[in-house]
Amino acid sequence: MPLIGYARVSTEDQTPLPQSQALKSAGCAEIHEEQASGGNRARPVLARVLERISKGDTLVVVRIDRLARSLSHLLEVIERLEARGTFFRSLMDPIDTSSPQGKFTLQVLGAAAEFERALIRERTKAGLASARTKGRVGGNPGLRARDPAALRKVRLARQDGYMERLNETAQDWVPHVRRLRPDLAWEDVVRIVNGPLPHERQWTQSRLLRAVNAYVRDGFLPPTVLARAGRRETDDRLPAIVAAIKGADPEITLQAICTRLEAMRERTPRGRTSWQPSSVKMLLERAERLGLLE
């Protein structure tokens, strides 16, 4: 079971060396270091690790705060790892999702997070009810008066909030969009993006297009990704999809590609729903002849 280490420091004057040494002592043959704030969910090194980690691998950190600063982010990352058939271990915390005890600890953390959210909801409802009994009306007076300056401020705040939420999920879709568009149609890109994601985090085509437009507008993606997809021969579509999956994870196995295609509900060249490694190998060879593989 390969151990993949991840070490993070917040500032340039800090060194990840102590973390890397601890991870090496724990048996990590591969260690990734990153300098980034723990509150920033869109970390490029972490995104690459999560994208390339293989089934059966274990992501290892020295402490859980090196991976995530919030419980919601920690649970989100572990959920992504579980969806890929991988595990998570913290050396200084009782969390190891490959063991029953570690899974139990994770369940307790998840229950605590849900309990905290429920308490916040109840306190908010009680506060609003108390304010109403005293004759106070919630909301922004400027909005009630339709003041242009207040409306503009709210619109900008909503845009900022939307971009912040997009940044939290950018590692799921930005690399695929950057690599696949405009060579593949949007419907195929959406299915490739959704392949490794749990159901509750999957994208619709309209949501993905809105996100891409926002990133193009702010200069995070080139305008070419919105260009019209060129016509592709019907027989070339499957090789292009298989090449896209392989391009996102060069170490992925033929069987894992089969699993991904079945999750995408993609049918084999003969119209079957169940894929075999031999079929994937044939399509990869064709993709290479077509120049679709890097």
Side-chain angles (χ1 to χ4, degrees):
M1 185 182 294
L3 303 180
I4 312 298
Y6 174 75
R8 181 189 63 79
V9 293
S10 299
T11 61
E12 292 182 357
D13 56 350
Q14 295 175 317
T15 173
L17 184 59
Q19 296 178 54
S20 297
Q21 290 175 336
L23 292 169
K24 187 175 181 180
S25 299
C28 294
E30 182 182 331
I31 298 173
H32 300 268
E33 299 178 351
E34 183 162 36
Q35 187 264 304
S37 167
N40 179 13
R41 298 193 181 192
R43 293 177 235 151
V45 174
L46 178 60
R48 279 199 304 274
V49 172
L50 295 178
E51 192 172 302
R52 296 178 181 177
I53 195 166
S54 303
K55 185 175 182 180
D57 291 352
T58 298
L59 179 64
V60 185
V61 296
V62 175
R63 297 190 310 274
I64 57 175
D65 67 346
R66 298 301 87 197
L67 180 68
R69 283 286 180 84
S70 68
L71 182 56
S72 62
H73 187 207
L74 174 65
L75 295 175
E76 178 185 314
V77 172
I78 294 176
E79 192 175 82
R80 285 193 65 187
L81 291 170
E82 287 184 336
R84 296 180 69 95
T86 56
F87 306 102
F88 171 73
R89 181 189 304 172
S90 173
L91 300 180
M92 299 182 66
D93 303 288
I95 300 179
D96 182 350
T97 60
S98 64
S99 70
Q101 295 88 346
K103 287 185 177 179
F104 175 73
T105 302
L106 196 60
Q107 289 170 353
V108 171
L109 288 174
E114 179 57 37
F115 180 63
E116 182 181 8
R117 287 193 293 269
L119 287 178
I120 292 172
R121 285 195 297 268
E122 289 303 317
R123 286 197 294 266
T124 301
K125 289 179 182 177
L128 291 173
S130 175
R132 281 194 294 269
T133 60
K134 296 175 182 177
R136 294 201 296 269
V137 180
N140 187 317
L143 293 181
R144 290 200 299 272
R146 309 300 293 174
D147 177 62
L151 292 172
R152 181 175 179 275
K153 186 180 292 186
V154 169
R155 185 171 63 253
L156 292 175
R158 285 177 177 170
Q159 287 177 0
D160 289 343
Y162 176 63
M163 292 303 294
E164 186 175 337
R165 292 193 299 274
L166 284 186
N167 291 340
E168 293 175 358
T169 63
Q171 58 195 17
D172 292 340
W173 55 275
V174 169
H176 293 293
V177 171
R178 193 185 298 276
R179 190 180 66 257
L180 302 178
R181 287 291 304 166
D183 294 330
L184 282 186
W186 280 111
E187 60 185 47
D188 291 327
V189 174
V190 170
R191 293 163 75 185
I192 291 170
V193 167
N194 287 337
L197 298 179
H199 177 73
E200 61 274 11
R201 288 179 50 207
Q202 293 190 352
W203 294 77
T204 63
Q205 185 170 321
S206 59
R207 278 186 60 227
L208 184 61
L209 276 169
R210 182 189 174 200
V212 172
N213 272 286
Y215 261 45
V216 169
R217 181 195 65 216
D218 286 3
F220 297 133
L221 281 171
T224 51
V225 299
L226 293 173
R228 191 180 188 87
R231 283 188 169 274
R232 185 179 292 278
E233 296 295 330
T234 305
D235 291 343
D236 291 349
R237 181 176 167 276
L238 279 176
I241 291 175
V242 172
I245 296 173
K246 180 72 172 176
D249 182 3
E251 304 301 320
I252 194 170
T253 63
L254 295 176
Q255 186 58 57
I257 295 178
C258 291
T259 303
R260 187 76 60 82
L261 290 168
E262 289 170 3
M264 292 167 58
R265 301 183 184 276
E266 195 67 55
R267 291 185 175 270
T268 69
R270 296 186 178 182
R272 297 173 182 167
T273 57
S274 179
W275 282 81
Q276 298 297 323
S278 57
S279 299
V280 172
K281 183 179 179 182
M282 177 190 68
L283 289 172
L284 284 173
E285 290 171 351
R286 176 160 188 173
E288 191 167 8
R289 289 196 300 271
L290 293 169
L292 301 175
L293 284 174
E294 295 181 0

